[in-house]
Amino acid sequence: MSSVAEERGAAPRRTRAPLRSHFTFSSRSESIEVDDAPVVDVPDETVPLVGAIAFEADQPDALLAPEALRVALPTARVTARAAADLRARIVAEPGSAEYERQVAAVVARIAEAIRSGDDLRKVVLARRLRVECEAPIDVDLLLARLRRDPEVTTFRIGHRSRAGEPTEWIGATPETLLDKRGDRVHSLPLAGSAPRSSEWSVDQAAAQGLLASAKDRTEHRLVVEHVLDTLAPWCSALNASSTPILTGTSTVWHLGTRIDGRLRDRDTPSLTLARALHPTPAVCGVPTAKARALIADTEGTPRGLYAGAVGWSDGTGDGCWMVTLRCAEVRGATAILHAGAGLVASSVPRSEREETSAKFRALLDAFGVDEA
Ligand SMILES: C=C(O[C@@H]1C=C(C(=O)O)C=C[C@H]1O)C(=O)O
């Protein structure tokens, strides 16, 4: 029974979003560490900012406003302790068969759209793996292991969900959404993927197959067109390589296109441009609004920071924003891993599921566990 005092408002107040949090970011060329800075809900994009924006417009971002930003050389890539020392149980949400059914349903929608003259062309459908460990997860150790791959940018952000629970997002992303220095902007969208193999000949065949795949080129072209169309009004010059390059991490091959531009106004903040580009069809689809609605319906649970953008912007507006991929939300002894695959009319459910498994590999290797 509640006391009169509680009824009059003396009951404990609900915890509000934290006022301060932390952030680390480490790429091949630079690193940033912010130990403790205020979290901002409505950021002024002309002051130093670090953190991440969510995939959905109605989910909380995790942006911090440090007093000053120090961009340093990357810290040495350490040799992390060998894996296989974490005992974990893995639950796929949805499981493989259910995800393949969802893929088949979305692919059928795209094919039907093409037949009926509707403009739906691509949807990126994600799934989650819940990794339950026996002891609280050592986030520093995971990050050290993720940093063994020189092709990725690792990040860590303290975050609080809408429900008020403190979590950490960590990840190792290969995809540059937007990098801005002075009047120069650069983007390297990735789309079209193939699992890598530890056997050289199999790995090379996967790479050649990806380069030759019409389905992957279609998926890729949609992303490049979106980035070019979005950046064009901001730029006096804009160039993209004419054919995709092969790029990748230690676990997945990707098709990528280098896009370079010159800004009309060099004072445009990098976060403004990153927000204009987000979400690209590498993580959402074409057209954006229809794909977003199908994603929300099919996935059911909001993505939160997964498939958003993570990075930094300094007081001059220079900065780097990566697509928030190959990431996990860690809470105590549990981590939720996210991975998705781009679906077009010719997608095959089993291959798309295998693509998500390959994208989970980097984090699962860091945990030292195998997918169930
Ligand atoms: C959606 C993810 O990756 C994105 C989708 C890709 C694809 O569909 O081929 C490739 C790279 C990323 O842009 C993910 O890693 O979860």
Side-chain angles (χ1 to χ4, degrees):
M1 209 169 72
S2 60
S3 71
V4 174
E6 277 171 350
E7 278 169 15
R8 287 207 183 128
R13 288 234 224 111
R14 266 175 185 250
T15 328
R16 285 178 51 79
L19 295 180
R20 308 188 74 83
S21 196
H22 57 266
F23 173 80
T24 66
F25 183 88
S26 184
S27 71
R28 195 194 267 276
S29 55
E30 60 203 9
S31 78
I32 289 187
E33 267 186 48
V34 174
D35 290 338
D36 177 38
V39 175
V40 287
D41 285 338
V42 187
D44 169 358
E45 292 182 358
T46 62
V47 303
L49 288 170
V50 300
I53 61 171
F55 176 75
E56 292 91 1
D58 64 353
Q59 288 295 305
D61 295 336
L63 288 170
L64 324 180
E67 260 170 42
L69 195 61
R70 209 173 77 81
V71 182
L73 288 172
T75 50
R77 304 241 159 195
V78 292
T79 318
R81 267 184 283 149
D85 55 359
L86 274 171
R87 282 166 175 257
R89 191 172 83 96
I90 301 187
V91 185
E93 299 172 346
S96 298
E98 175 59 15
Y99 180 71
E100 288 182 25
R101 272 195 292 278
Q102 292 178 350
V103 168
V106 171
V107 168
R109 289 278 286 270
I110 299 171
E112 172 54 27
I114 292 171
R115 272 195 301 275
S116 64
D118 185 78
D119 58 356
L120 184 67
R121 290 292 175 275
K122 176 176 177 181
V123 178
V124 181
L125 194 63
R127 66 186 183 111
R128 301 145 41 111
L129 289 186
R130 173 185 294 273
V131 177
E132 287 168 3
C133 298
E134 287 186 347
I137 292 164
D138 181 343
V139 173
D140 287 327
L141 175 61
L142 281 184
L143 265 183
R145 287 179 178 163
L146 290 172
R147 294 198 64 227
R148 289 180 296 198
D149 185 343
E151 300 301 326
V152 299
T153 295
T154 58
F155 58 86
R156 171 182 188 163
I157 318 162
H159 184 43
R160 189 158 287 203
S161 68
R162 274 263 151 94
E165 294 159 288
T167 60
E168 300 243 26
W169 280 80
I170 61 161
T173 175
E175 184 163 358
T176 308
L177 179 65
L178 186 96
D179 191 293
K180 173 207 176 275
R181 316 281 155 143
D183 66 353
R184 302 296 171 124
V185 284
H186 170 73
S187 178
L188 210 169
L190 307 180
S193 308
R196 295 195 64 173
S197 167
S198 52
E199 229 175 282
W200 186 82
S201 57
V202 178
D203 194 44
Q204 290 306 304
Q208 293 314 317
L210 179 61
L211 277 170
S213 156
K215 174 238 163 206
D216 287 287
R217 293 229 178 189
T218 304
E219 253 184 88
H220 187 74
R221 203 189 54 243
L222 294 171
V223 185
V224 172
E225 281 169 5
H226 170 93
V227 173
L228 288 174
D229 289 349
T230 309
L231 288 180
W234 302 87
C235 291
S236 56
L238 189 60
N239 293 299
S241 45
S242 54
T243 45
I245 53 165
L246 185 69
T247 169
T249 66
S250 56
T251 44
V252 192
W253 286 120
H254 293 300
L255 296 180
T257 292
R258 290 177 186 287
I259 297 178
D260 290 286
R262 185 179 289 235
L263 287 173
R264 290 182 196 282
D265 175 4
R266 61 186 295 137
D267 294 331
T268 313
S270 59
L271 183 54
T272 306
L273 297 168
R275 281 196 199 276
L277 287 167
H278 172 76
T280 76
V283 291
C284 185
V286 177
T288 304
K290 280 184 191 164
R292 251 188 203 279
L294 255 176
I295 288 168
D297 276 359
T298 314
E299 293 182 10
T301 313
R303 293 177 171 184
L305 297 188
Y306 162 65
V310 55
W312 60 273
S313 185
D314 72 12
T316 71
D318 281 6
C320 176
W321 296 89
M322 306 291 291
V323 185
T324 317
L325 300 173
R326 319 295 144 83
C327 59
E329 187 179 0
V330 180
R331 193 176 303 161
T334 301
I336 311 280
L337 279 51
H338 302 256
L343 312 181
V344 292
S346 54
S347 289
V348 175
R350 191 194 161 109
S351 317
E352 301 298 342
R353 204 268 304 147
E354 285 170 355
E355 185 176 316
T356 60
S357 295
K359 288 170 173 169
F360 282 129
R361 232 355 329 130
L363 274 185
L364 289 178
D365 285 351
F367 275 98
V369 293
D370 282 324
E371 191 179 342

